[in-house]
Amino acid sequence: PSALQEVSSGINAEYGVQLLSNKKVEESVQISSPSEGANNVVEFIKKSETDYQLAINENYTSMSNTTFKALRRNLPITQTLIDWHKLHGFQVGKDIMNKS
């Protein structure tokens, strides 16, 4: 039998990131009787779906360390968040306020 496995999953709803994936699988199945054929087809489906799910899980792990980090906003060079209420204390903030 052959099958097309497809997955569409929301990874990060805040940023609208989705994973769309598909994989075609094929395998020869021994069919000497209807019940043996059915059992072999079911085993083929179980194995291919398990392998596909494991590959997707590995991909999620890899993506969280690479792709998702690239999507996040980096902190400034000081590695601290800016307190926007105290912006007037920074030289840039003074320059902006003087122009307005």
Side-chain angles (χ1 to χ4, degrees), residues 10-18:
I11 297 172
N12 188 324
E14 184 178 345
Y15 299 108
V17 177
Q18 291 185 334

Side-chain angles (χ1 to χ4, degrees), residues 35-53:
S35 63
E36 181 188 10
N39 287 336
N40 289 342
V41 168
V42 168
E43 287 303 313
F44 161 71
I45 292 170
K46 282 182 186 179
K47 182 182 180 323
S48 63
E49 286 185 351
T50 299
D51 292 346
Y52 190 44
Q53 185 63 48

